[in-house]
Amino acid sequence: MASVKAFNAQPAVSRAPTKGRKLWKYRALILLALPGVLLMLINNYLPMFGIFLAFKDLNYTDGIWGSKWIGFDNFKFLFASNDAWLIIKNTLLYNISFLLINTTLAVLLALLLNEVKNKLASKFFQSTVILPNFISMVIVGYIVYGFLNPDLGFINKFILEPFGVEPVNWYAEPEHWPYILTIVNAWKNVGYSAVVYLAAIVGIDSEYYEAAVIDGAGRWKQMTRITIPLIAPVIIIMTLLAVGRIFNADFGLFYQATMASGMLKETTEVIDTYVYSALMVTGDTGLASSAGLLQSVVGFTLVITVNLIVRRYSKENALF
């Protein structure tokens, strides 16, 4: 009898939930994530099978798998062409300029927006600066054309002509476009980054600023000693993500804003427009695939390298 009581008195051993039960417990979250996961698989991972095209001489009769395997010949042809170093140079220089200028302007704009204390005015300015990010590059191209039209454009008609300056044929003179494209890119993208940085600034504890005011710190010291150091992790993450795309140009910007003018090729031809021309104009699928693969590999390598450098000096600010 005593042994039976002792047996009954023993605590029940709790069973660990099975994987099936865990999945069922989080079924609502899994269901919510499912559309995004499917979109990522279809949009990002399924096209990866096209990597094989970079190493084949595609013959549409034989198909992808039946086409002749030519190894790195497409890459050799890409770098042997006269345009290879031009498009690489343009892509790198533009993206480095965009990264430096846009990051600086976005942080400054976020600091200015943070100084707007009226809620209605703050919402209005935030909506205004982020609006260009949602405008299609086709529309942006026509806006740019409205300013730069050689005959009736705003700059020629209302700025240069009243001062007796000869009108400029903007779409035939490539030397102006590094500045034009930098301005258009900043106008379209700085607002989005500024709102991201503003969200980070708003999340800073107000006690830091109250203590700084008590110590006699002005706005400049508050900005340089509190705000910027505390949003530095966000700036680093945004920079790392931008570095990963430093070999990828904004196709819409370089194709639509320039109206695909062949006379501007010297300063506006980048890897993305070159790939488009190779695929759509010449029909060279292998060359286009090799250029696209080169972009991906270089971008991945740069993200890993820069992240390792950041991690070496500040682990908490590294992306991974």
Side-chain angles (χ1 to χ4, degrees):
M1 186 70 179
S3 61
V4 173
K5 288 182 178 179
F7 177 80
N8 293 334
Q10 290 179 358
V13 178
S14 60
R15 293 182 178 179
T18 62
K19 290 183 178 180
R21 289 181 181 178
K22 286 182 179 180
L23 291 175
W24 181 253
K25 181 181 178 181
Y26 298 109
R27 61 188 181 279
L29 295 176
I30 294 172
L31 187 62
L32 286 172
L34 191 59
V37 173
L38 288 175
L39 180 63
M40 181 181 67
L41 290 174
I42 295 171
N43 191 60
N44 295 78
Y45 286 90
L46 192 60
M48 284 187 179
F49 289 103
I51 289 175
F52 292 102
L53 294 174
F55 305 97
K56 285 179 170 283
D57 182 12
L58 182 63
N59 185 328
Y60 291 99
T61 304
D62 299 329
I64 295 176
W65 306 115
S67 297
K68 181 183 177 182
W69 184 274
I70 59 173
F72 291 94
D73 286 356
N74 284 322
F75 294 90
K76 292 178 183 177
F77 182 77
L78 173 65
F79 285 100
S81 64
N82 295 327
D83 297 328
W85 300 112
L86 172 67
I87 61 176
I88 291 173
K89 180 194 72 173
N90 285 346
T91 304
L92 286 175
L93 290 180
Y94 275 117
N95 281 332
I96 291 172
S97 300
F98 294 164
L99 176 60
L100 296 176
I101 294 171
N102 289 6
T103 301
T104 304
L105 292 178
V107 172
L108 291 175
L109 183 57
L111 293 170
L112 291 174
L113 290 173
N114 188 52
E115 295 299 318
V116 181
K117 302 305 179 185
N118 183 283
K119 288 187 177 181
L120 184 61
S122 178
K123 297 297 181 184
F124 171 77
F125 288 128
Q126 290 179 41
S127 301
T128 302
V129 298
I130 203 173
L131 180 62
N133 185 259
F134 300 102
I135 299 176
S136 166
M137 277 308 305
V138 176
I139 298 174
V140 172
Y142 282 105
I143 292 173
V144 174
Y145 186 73
F147 277 90
L148 303 181
N149 183 288
D151 301 320
L152 301 174
F154 179 82
I155 293 180
N156 279 348
K157 193 73 176 176
F158 298 99
I159 296 179
L160 299 182
E161 188 177 302
F163 289 96
V165 180
E166 290 292 325
V168 178
N169 189 358
W170 300 99
Y171 292 93
E173 300 181 13
E175 64 270 15
H176 304 296
W177 282 90
Y179 309 102
I180 295 171
L181 292 173
T182 302
I183 293 170
V184 174
N185 181 267
W187 171 77
K188 195 173 191 304
N189 297 308
V190 163
Y192 177 83
S193 300
V195 172
V196 174
Y197 296 137
L198 178 62
I201 293 172
V202 171
I204 297 175
D205 194 336
S206 60
E207 291 183 359
Y208 291 109
Y209 296 102
E210 292 170 2
V213 171
I214 293 173
D215 290 339
R219 288 291 187 185
W220 176 257
K221 284 191 175 181
Q222 290 179 37
M223 179 183 71
T224 55
R225 304 293 177 84
I226 298 175
T227 306
I228 294 180
L230 289 178
I231 67 170
V234 180
I235 297 175
I236 291 171
I237 290 173
M238 296 284 283
T239 303
L240 281 172
L241 294 175
V243 166
R245 295 187 57 82
I246 204 165
F247 240 63
N248 295 68
D250 185 344
F251 176 80
L253 175 67
F254 291 95
Y255 189 80
Q256 299 290 349
T258 62
M259 293 293 174
S261 174
M263 301 182 73
L264 305 177
K265 182 178 178 180
E266 179 184 345
T267 57
T268 62
E269 184 83 321
V270 289
I271 295 177
D272 293 72
T273 55
Y274 182 79
V275 169
Y276 176 81
S277 299
L279 182 61
M280 301 302 293
V281 179
T282 65
D284 195 335
T285 308
L287 182 60
S289 300
S290 62
L293 180 58
L294 176 66
Q295 286 179 305
S296 302
V297 172
V298 171
F300 177 76
T301 305
L302 285 172
V303 169
I304 297 297
T305 304
V306 175
N307 185 75
L308 288 175
I309 295 172
V310 173
R311 188 177 178 82
R312 181 177 180 180
Y313 294 99
S314 178
K315 287 186 178 181
E316 63 274 10
N317 290 332
L319 189 60
F320 50 85

